[in-house]
Amino acid sequence: MHVPCATIVRMNPPTGARDRARAPRVVRLALAQVNPVVGDLPGNTKRVLDFLERARAGGADLVAFPELVLTGYPPEDLLLRPEFIDQNHAALDEVVRATRGITAIVGFAQRAGDVYNAAAIAHDGQLSAVYQKSHLPNYGVFDEVRYFRPGRDPFVCVRGPLRFAVNVCEDIWTPSGPTALALYGESELVINLSSSPFHSGKSISRDRMLATRASDGVAFVAFINTVGGQDELVFDGNSRVFGPRGDELARAAAFEEELVLVDLDLDMVFGARLKDPRSREAAQTAPGNGESSLRSVTLPPLAEAAEAAPAPEKKPPIPARATRHPVGAEETYRALVLGTHDYIRKNGFRHVVLGLSGGVDSALTASIAVDALGAENVTGVFLPSPYTSHESAEDAEALAKNLGIDYRAIPIGDEMNSYQASLAAVFAGRPDDTTEENLQSRIRGNLLMALSNKFGWMVLTTGNKSEYSCGYATLYGDMAGGYAVLKDVFKTLVYELARHRNAAAAKPWIPERTITRPPTAELKPGQLDTDSLPPYEVLDPILRAYVEEDWEVDRIVALGHERALVRRVIRMVDRAEYKRRQAPPGIRITPRALGKDRRLPITNRHQPWRD
Amino acid sequence: MHVPCATIVRMNPPTGARDRARAPRVVRLALAQVNPVVGDLPGNTKRVLDFLERARAGGADLVAFPELVLTGYPPEDLLLRPEFIDQNHAALDEVVRATRGITAIVGFAQRAGDVYNAAAIAHDGQLSAVYQKSHLPNYGVFDEVRYFRPGRDPFVCVRGPLRFAVNVCEDIWTPSGPTALALYGESELVINLSSSPFHSGKSISRDRMLATRASDGVAFVAFINTVGGQDELVFDGNSRVFGPRGDELARAAAFEEELVLVDLDLDMVFGARLKDPRSREAAQTAPGNGESSLRSVTLPPLAEAAEAAPAPEKKPPIPARATRHPVGAEETYRALVLGTHDYIRKNGFRHVVLGLSGGVDSALTASIAVDALGAENVTGVFLPSPYTSHESAEDAEALAKNLGIDYRAIPIGDEMNSYQASLAAVFAGRPDDTTEENLQSRIRGNLLMALSNKFGWMVLTTGNKSEYSCGYATLYGDMAGGYAVLKDVFKTLVYELARHRNAAAAKPWIPERTITRPPTAELKPGQLDTDSLPPYEVLDPILRAYVEEDWEVDRIVALGHERALVRRVIRMVDRAEYKRRQAPPGIRITPRALGKDRRLPITNRHQPWRD
């Protein structure tokens, strides 16, 4: 587990209408971007208390944690256990008691007659208020209507000179939602607790939306996100604070735990609103006519010291800090590393094993495993058949040597012969076909699972999204394993990630020939992937259009693809649904992975490939 | 596919305040209990047109089809394809054109800006009205909020002398929902289109609810349900009509397609309401004050013949008919047969193969397969190892002979030796453990899958709910296959079903010793299930409390179980989540199966078994 380190951020120098004589009204906010484990109430509580303590030590007035931080996100059907909900209340009580001298905003599951996805506002050892999430996402990977009743009651908290509102994840994605309402209610700061999962490019559109909310409301917007992997999902962190003109004031790292401190000069809001009074008009037409419908919750002065306008000069200044946001291949690669690390470790495993074929999928998977777990925790097994080429053997061994991982070779010829003999009578007179190919793949799967069973290693599967989409993979064979690292990575992106990782490496990493050789499953003599599939640079755009976008044939053909090919490809996709249903989970890096966000029936006679 | 046969039902003789001089106002209603295939728009349309024609031939005034009959239920993410929704509109157009001289009520997915789960009221070749489902279930196996916008607009249709309202499935489960509203609006008949899935005992509670709605509203309630299997789900049919005192007037068969005709004497409603005027008061306090909020849609007289009060004497009378509702083991067994039949056939398979161990799980699975598909479409394979007993061999062969299925024997000893040799160096010095047991199971899985690949047979797995719950099954071994027939059947129920089927058989069926022998996996010498698990009569109640009810340890202990045992069992359940995620689908027969209605995270540190 990454050891979190506090980083602090200086807000941009105040600008605009702020040259009055009195001291600036400055609030120090801590973004506690933590990595909880689903279901781990004691562990998550400990983590929250740790970050709370560090926020206090950093002089924070407020510290905000992600959505459902106590339970982890998404807790799924754990939320159908009364015991679990009650235990999360006990955890909250512990956190509340620890808030002497500070205000903490903490996501939890509230039992109040029914169950709410809620944010507790805990202040100076007391539970002051609870906000109940109003907008429950129930699309894509989200199923919140299954678990929660929507809240109906936004409010504004008043702490000393600060007026702030709290809401939860989806609430801020709705333009007319609680965020707007809070801002018309003259909040100076909206704090949004999120567990917003990653896909490639998500942080850009999210930042754009958050900046727009801030500039629309002419206020500060703080977004605190979960970081870490949970089954298919990776939460990227990327917590942010935007100022009243939509300018980014603070950012937490991507894919790492972090505590970020930021000083917010509240007078900037008043000054900016004088120049941008859109909210006056909007408040007139807002539901409930703006402020009138908002409850105010006043947080009492701190017991130890009456809370006046906190003067920033009492606190040590926050040093400037530069963070670089990973983009493109780097961002995706890091998501895969974090997802792999957290799935393995949070499930109590230390060591992984995978088959090395000499090809690029297993090479990239091994590379990700090494970056996630360390070379000492990775075993690569080369499982040659009589059809395996010399080049594959060399490349598999070279990869293992480059990566510094444990390497074994177990030929599978004897098992092939045994099965052939057992089936000879039943198969008499039938030509060889994919049956014999699948058997090789399943022998390899069995051997890897035997190593897993004997040594307690998790098997990583190496198939990519192109293969899983088309069913170009063997159920119980190369699909056998605990985690499918590349399940949402199209083959063309596999190459891009391999090249990216090689470029970043200080020493030889993935052998060049592994990247340049034509891909082959080597399940019969001279076999190439292109015997069964179109070239990946043709295949992948068709798959993206069909699998991720649900486009119909005509629309895909209009992209410039041959109609017969489009039909053949989507037929393969539809007919492989039963395989995907038995596939291991993998890391979601696109807006539509082959997981809980794509729920097709197996029994399905909608056949868009037909005339 | 079962060939549907029209059955007609005589309504109970009119009773109560009905001795006025004029002719009774009688409407003939047809319940079209059909078995659609998800996604099969052309096939489902054809089926609807066929039943429509038969209803017309039977003299029906109204014919009602199930919820989403054109798309099949549940269409899942097919509903995210614009093309699919548009095609279902084209299918509806075809049905509407066919309604000359009759009124049809047909479930479809309506595109009207957004998408609605809707019922079309088609009358005499025109689309007269569309009802949009108001209450969208999003719990258990249901995800309707993912796909649909809720409707807000109930209405009453007026056809000649009849006032009726239409709603969809969940709508009628809500006591204050559209059903109540329609009845306060003086509807005489509520027609509910459903796709209501089976679990054991469901039809009893459903009938109870429907009868209560009818007697609460003092009106006729007609419930038209889908029949058939769809992936995990079985729809049991059991369409019903209840009269204004909650008396059952008509019933369609369980687990079969059927067209049921029933004559409804509308004057019974008026007469009964004079004696039971509860709705007068209720209408005062109903949302929108009852009738005033309901639109009326008047269906024009039929073009061919002006529609007067249809005189029942013009139509041939409906002969009396007795149907017996299957209960207990019989009901469950029939659900399993239908689920198996439909999964195999709707997915385009004819023949299944399964491993016969000589034990009761594979015997019951084979029996269900034979009843579903015919003995000529079932192959049983006996796969002995050196640990397999003589009794198992005899019982497997006897079963195959009794059932009249194709029988093969393929010993697995050679494969065991091959793997052992390949792994000898890596495993050196390690004692045998479950690794070696799993290898045997996986060899068997591979051989069955090889037969599947070579001959196009689907593999049925034979594991039961007790095993899948505890993880007492081998991933890629005995869990390998296309369909897990007994996945939701606890072992104690497996025995009950086996005895039930034997009692119903006219000849020797499952060998008696298969039922009486202590269960064993025979993966090592002298092994018994009770080496690893408590006796099933102790295990199953614990599993039911934890898996189906989410009870906590204390509550399960209070049932009289030993605390240490309860902890051990639920620990096994939680730790096997990753296996279940890669299991084949199976037939849901309980309120909580190990499928889409139980969505636990794999990565999960909630550990109720700990102190």
Side-chain angles (χ1 to χ4, degrees):
Chain A
M1 196 67 66
H2 170 78
V3 177
C5 66
T7 35
I8 41 184
V9 173
R10 174 172 294 283
M11 195 187 62
N12 293 340
T15 56
R18 250 206 75 263
D19 47 3
R20 282 172 294 153
R22 67 177 183 76
R25 300 184 302 132
V26 174
V27 164
R28 184 165 289 185
L29 171 66
L31 311 179
Q33 177 173 296
V34 301
N35 186 346
V37 179
V38 164
D40 188 10
L41 299 167
N44 297 340
T45 305
K46 192 165 167 302
R47 207 152 203 88
V48 166
L49 292 175
D50 173 46
F51 272 70
L52 181 68
E53 202 43 61
R54 290 168 50 217
R56 194 199 327 263
D61 302 296
L62 267 72
V63 55
F65 292 88
E67 177 182 21
L68 287 176
V69 67
L70 295 180
T71 64
Y73 191 92
E76 301 187 85
D77 279 8
L78 292 178
L79 288 169
L80 304 184
R81 300 182 180 172
E83 170 192 33
F84 182 72
I85 296 172
D86 291 346
Q87 288 168 354
N88 118 106
H89 267 274
L92 179 67
D93 291 345
E94 198 177 337
V95 172
V96 169
R97 282 194 297 274
T99 58
R100 295 266 167 231
I102 195 168
T103 304
I105 301 146
V106 183
F108 77 112
Q110 186 194 21
R111 176 176 177 173
D114 206 339
V115 182
Y116 299 86
N117 183 341
I121 293 95
H123 174 74
D124 205 19
Q126 300 292 325
L127 179 61
S128 300
V130 175
Y131 171 79
Q132 297 165 338
K133 185 175 186 176
S134 318
H135 293 267
L136 300 175
N138 204 76
Y139 57 87
V141 298
F142 301 108
D143 289 290
E144 292 199 16
V145 174
R146 183 175 171 88
Y147 304 109
F148 299 115
R149 181 187 289 257
R152 295 281 175 225
D153 190 18
F155 53 79
V156 170
C157 287
V158 180
R159 177 185 159 157
L162 171 68
R163 296 171 62 85
F164 68 98
V166 172
N167 56 45
V168 181
C169 206
E170 190 78 0
D171 285 331
I172 203 165
W173 290 85
T174 306
S176 59
T179 302
L181 206 59
L183 293 170
Y184 305 149
E186 296 173 21
S187 278
E188 295 163 309
L189 165 65
V190 168
I191 298 174
N192 178 267
L193 314 190
S194 280
S195 287
S196 177
F198 170 79
H199 61 74
S200 177
K202 170 87 165 278
S203 69
I204 293 170
S205 57
R206 194 168 53 204
D207 283 355
R208 185 178 63 206
M209 177 277 293
L210 293 167
T212 303
R213 295 284 179 269
S215 62
D216 277 353
V218 196
F220 295 103
V221 166
F223 163 80
I224 297 87
N225 197 17
T226 292
V227 69
Q230 169 61 26
D231 289 353
E232 301 175 2
L233 303 180
V234 170
F235 299 92
D236 52 316
N238 278 316
S239 300
R240 296 279 188 272
V241 178
F242 291 92
R245 289 193 170 86
D247 42 330
E248 184 183 297
L249 302 182
R251 53 163 59 198
F255 307 118
E256 289 176 31
E257 283 197 315
E258 195 174 32
L259 181 77
V260 173
L261 295 171
V262 57
D263 285 339
L264 304 179
D265 179 345
L266 304 178
D267 286 331
M268 280 180 65
V269 171
F270 183 67
R273 281 180 176 174
L274 292 176
K275 290 191 161 51
D276 182 351
R278 279 179 294 161
S279 72
R280 290 175 191 160
E281 188 182 350
Q284 297 302 318
T285 57
N289 195 9
E291 186 168 22
S292 61
S293 74
L294 283 177
R295 211 159 33 96
S296 268
V297 175
T298 302
L299 308 182
L302 295 173
E304 289 130 46
E307 184 181 46
E313 53 275 11
K314 288 186 194 164
K315 296 176 178 175
I318 298 177
R321 163 179 170 273
T323 60
R324 206 177 55 78
H325 185 76
V327 292
E330 183 191 354
E331 185 187 38
T332 301
Y333 190 89
R334 288 191 58 192
L336 295 170
V337 169
L338 177 60
T340 302
H341 175 278
D342 277 12
Y343 191 78
I344 305 299
R345 288 284 189 267
K346 289 181 177 180
N347 278 295
F349 286 79
R350 288 215 67 76
H351 195 102
V352 296
V353 58
L354 76 167
L356 298 183
S357 69
V360 69
D361 297 317
S362 56
L364 180 63
T365 304
S367 165
I368 291 166
V370 166
D371 288 332
L373 308 167
E376 70 280 12
N377 289 316
V378 180
T379 293
V381 187
F382 182 60
L383 298 147
S385 82
Y387 310 129
T388 303
S389 67
H390 191 58
E391 290 91 335
S392 294
E394 290 171 359
D395 291 349
E397 193 162 358
L399 175 82
K401 199 175 155 210
N402 289 353
L403 269 52
I405 62 176
D406 177 39
Y407 176 79
R408 318 281 174 104
I410 307 179
I412 66 166
D414 288 352
E415 286 82 356
M416 288 168 66
N417 293 337
S418 302
Y419 283 109
Q420 199 166 16
S422 292
L423 291 163
V426 187
F427 284 2
R430 300 257 175 173
D432 279 9
D433 55 19
T434 51
T435 306
E436 285 72 18
E437 300 183 31
N438 285 334
L439 263 174
Q440 296 165 55
S441 183
R442 292 191 177 117
I443 293 165
R444 294 189 172 111
N446 289 3
L447 288 166
L448 292 173
M449 287 304 296
L451 294 170
S452 169
N453 290 163
K454 189 64 84 182
F455 298 109
W457 302 338
M458 188 184 289
V459 176
L460 296 182
T461 70
T462 61
N464 59 58
K465 190 174 191 176
S466 309
E467 294 173 355
Y468 277 96
S469 295
C470 292
Y472 193 66
T474 300
L475 199 53
Y476 323 130
D478 53 315
M479 291 176 70
Y483 206 50
V485 174
L486 305 180
K487 189 177 178 185
D488 198 29
V489 182
F490 283 121
K491 184 81 170 192
T492 46
L493 183 56
V494 169
Y495 284 109
E496 188 185 337
L497 293 172
R499 293 203 177 282
H500 157 77
R501 185 60 185 83
N502 273 3
K507 56 176 187 171
W509 199 249
I510 297 173
E512 184 61 19
R513 189 169 60 184
T514 291
I515 300 179
T516 54
R517 273 180 80 199
T520 166
E522 292 190 332
L523 295 169
K524 57 185 181 183
Q527 186 179 37
L528 292 178
D529 286 12
T530 46
D531 300 344
S532 308
L533 302 174
Y536 287 109
E537 56 272 25
V538 174
L539 176 63
D540 286 354
I542 298 175
L543 290 175
R544 190 173 291 112
Y546 187 63
V547 171
E548 296 185 4
E549 301 290 345
D550 280 311
W551 282 13
E552 59 192 295
V553 171
D554 286 348
R555 191 179 274 267
I556 303 174
V557 168
L559 293 177
H561 300 289
E562 194 199 333
R563 184 173 297 269
L565 175 65
V566 171
R567 285 199 174 132
R568 185 161 74 87
V569 169
I570 70 179
R571 181 171 181 272
M572 284 193 287
V573 173
D574 281 4
R575 292 175 67 97
E577 190 56 39
Y578 78 99
K579 289 191 188 180
R580 286 188 289 272
R581 205 63 73 82
Q582 296 189 39
I587 304 157
R588 179 175 178 268
I589 61 151
T590 71
R592 195 110 181 270
L594 303 170
K596 65 200 279 195
D597 47 354
R598 189 169 182 278
R599 306 183 188 176
L600 269 303
I602 297 177
T603 305
N604 170 16
R605 288 209 192 136
H606 186 234
Q607 301 175 334
W609 67 83
R610 297 232 162 159
D611 256 328
Chain B
M1 196 68 64
H2 170 78
V3 178
C5 67
T7 34
I8 42 184
V9 173
R10 173 172 295 282
M11 197 186 59
N12 293 340
T15 57
R18 251 205 75 262
D19 48 2
R20 281 171 295 153
R22 68 177 184 77
R25 301 183 302 132
V26 174
V27 164
R28 184 166 289 185
L29 171 66
L31 311 178
Q33 177 173 296
V34 301
N35 186 344
V37 179
V38 163
D40 189 10
L41 298 167
N44 297 340
T45 305
K46 190 165 170 300
R47 208 154 203 86
V48 166
L49 293 175
D50 173 48
F51 272 70
L52 182 68
E53 203 42 61
R54 290 167 51 215
R56 195 200 326 264
D61 302 295
L62 268 71
V63 55
F65 292 88
E67 178 183 21
L68 286 177
V69 67
L70 294 180
T71 63
Y73 191 92
E76 301 188 85
D77 279 8
L78 293 177
L79 288 170
L80 303 185
R81 299 182 181 173
E83 170 192 32
F84 182 73
I85 295 172
D86 291 346
Q87 289 168 355
N88 119 105
H89 267 274
L92 178 67
D93 291 346
E94 199 177 337
V95 173
V96 169
R97 283 193 297 273
T99 58
R100 294 267 167 229
I102 195 168
T103 304
I105 300 146
V106 183
F108 76 113
Q110 185 194 22
R111 176 175 175 173
D114 207 338
V115 182
Y116 299 86
N117 184 341
I121 293 94
H123 174 74
D124 205 20
Q126 301 291 324
L127 179 62
S128 299
V130 175
Y131 171 79
Q132 298 164 338
K133 184 175 187 177
S134 317
H135 293 267
L136 301 175
N138 204 77
Y139 56 86
V141 298
F142 301 109
D143 288 290
E144 292 200 15
V145 174
R146 182 175 172 88
Y147 304 110
F148 298 115
R149 183 188 289 257
R152 295 280 176 225
D153 190 19
F155 54 78
V156 170
C157 287
V158 181
R159 176 184 159 156
L162 172 66
R163 296 172 62 84
F164 68 99
V166 172
N167 55 45
V168 181
C169 205
E170 189 79 1
D171 284 333
I172 203 165
W173 290 86
T174 306
S176 59
T179 303
L181 206 59
L183 293 170
Y184 305 150
E186 297 174 20
S187 278
E188 295 163 310
L189 165 64
V190 168
I191 298 174
N192 178 268
L193 314 190
S194 280
S195 287
S196 177
F198 170 79
H199 60 74
S200 177
K202 170 89 166 275
S203 69
I204 294 170
S205 57
R206 195 168 53 204
D207 283 355
R208 185 178 61 204
M209 178 276 294
L210 292 167
T212 304
R213 296 284 178 269
S215 62
D216 277 352
V218 196
F220 294 103
V221 166
F223 163 80
I224 297 89
N225 197 17
T226 293
V227 70
Q230 169 61 27
D231 289 353
E232 301 175 2
L233 302 180
V234 170
F235 300 93
D236 52 316
N238 279 314
S239 299
R240 295 280 188 271
V241 178
F242 291 92
R245 289 195 170 85
D247 42 331
E248 183 183 297
L249 301 182
R251 52 163 60 199
F255 308 118
E256 289 175 32
E257 282 196 317
E258 195 174 31
L259 182 77
V260 173
L261 294 171
V262 58
D263 286 340
L264 304 180
D265 180 345
L266 302 178
D267 286 332
M268 279 181 66
V269 172
F270 183 67
R273 281 181 177 174
L274 293 175
K275 290 191 161 52
D276 182 350
R278 277 179 294 160
S279 72
R280 291 176 188 157
E281 188 182 350
Q284 298 301 319
T285 56
N289 195 9
E291 188 169 19
S292 61
S293 73
L294 282 177
R295 212 158 34 94
S296 267
V297 175
T298 302
L299 309 182
L302 296 174
E304 288 129 49
E307 185 182 45
E313 51 276 11
K314 288 185 193 166
K315 297 178 177 175
I318 299 177
R321 161 179 170 274
T323 59
R324 204 177 56 77
H325 185 78
V327 292
E330 183 191 355
E331 184 187 39
T332 300
Y333 190 89
R334 289 191 58 193
L336 295 171
V337 169
L338 177 60
T340 301
H341 175 277
D342 277 12
Y343 191 80
I344 305 301
R345 288 285 190 266
K346 290 181 177 180
N347 278 294
F349 286 79
R350 288 217 68 77
H351 196 101
V352 296
V353 59
L354 74 167
L356 299 183
S357 69
V360 69
D361 298 316
S362 55
L364 181 64
T365 304
S367 165
I368 291 167
V370 165
D371 288 331
L373 307 167
E376 69 280 13
N377 289 316
V378 180
T379 292
V381 187
F382 182 61
L383 299 146
S385 81
Y387 310 128
T388 303
S389 67
H390 191 59
E391 290 91 333
S392 294
E394 289 171 1
D395 291 349
E397 193 162 0
L399 176 82
K401 197 174 158 211
N402 290 353
L403 269 52
I405 62 176
D406 177 39
Y407 176 78
R408 319 281 174 105
I410 306 179
I412 66 166
D414 288 352
E415 286 82 356
M416 288 169 67
N417 292 336
S418 301
Y419 283 109
Q420 199 166 17
S422 292
L423 291 164
V426 186
F427 285 2
R430 300 256 175 175
D432 279 8
D433 55 20
T434 52
T435 306
E436 285 71 19
E437 300 183 32
N438 285 334
L439 263 173
Q440 296 165 54
S441 183
R442 292 192 176 117
I443 292 166
R444 295 188 171 112
N446 288 2
L447 288 166
L448 292 172
M449 287 304 296
L451 294 169
S452 168
N453 290 162
K454 188 65 83 182
F455 299 109
W457 300 340
M458 188 184 288
V459 176
L460 296 182
T461 69
T462 61
N464 59 59
K465 191 174 191 176
S466 309
E467 293 173 355
Y468 277 97
S469 295
C470 292
Y472 193 66
T474 299
L475 199 53
Y476 324 129
D478 54 315
M479 291 176 70
Y483 206 49
V485 174
L486 305 180
K487 189 178 177 184
D488 199 28
V489 181
F490 282 121
K491 183 80 171 194
T492 46
L493 183 56
V494 169
Y495 285 109
E496 189 184 336
L497 293 172
R499 293 202 177 282
H500 157 77
R501 185 60 185 82
N502 273 3
K507 56 175 187 172
W509 199 250
I510 296 172
E512 183 60 20
R513 189 170 58 184
T514 291
I515 300 179
T516 53
R517 272 180 80 199
T520 164
E522 293 190 332
L523 295 169
K524 58 185 181 183
Q527 187 178 35
L528 291 178
D529 286 12
T530 44
D531 300 344
S532 308
L533 302 174
Y536 288 109
E537 55 273 26
V538 174
L539 176 64
D540 286 354
I542 298 175
L543 290 175
R544 190 173 290 112
Y546 186 63
V547 171
E548 296 184 5
E549 301 291 345
D550 280 311
W551 282 12
E552 60 192 294
V553 171
D554 285 349
R555 191 180 275 267
I556 303 174
V557 169
L559 293 177
H561 299 288
E562 195 200 333
R563 183 173 299 269
L565 175 64
V566 171
R567 285 200 173 130
R568 186 161 74 86
V569 169
I570 68 177
R571 180 170 182 273
M572 284 194 286
V573 173
D574 280 4
R575 293 175 67 97
E577 191 55 39
Y578 78 100
K579 290 190 187 181
R580 287 187 290 272
R581 205 62 74 84
Q582 295 189 41
I587 304 157
R588 178 175 177 268
I589 60 151
T590 70
R592 194 111 181 269
L594 303 171
K596 66 200 281 194
D597 47 353
R598 189 170 183 276
R599 307 182 187 176
L600 268 303
I602 299 176
T603 305
N604 171 14
R605 289 208 192 136
H606 187 234
Q607 301 175 333
W609 67 82
R610 296 232 162 160
D611 257 327

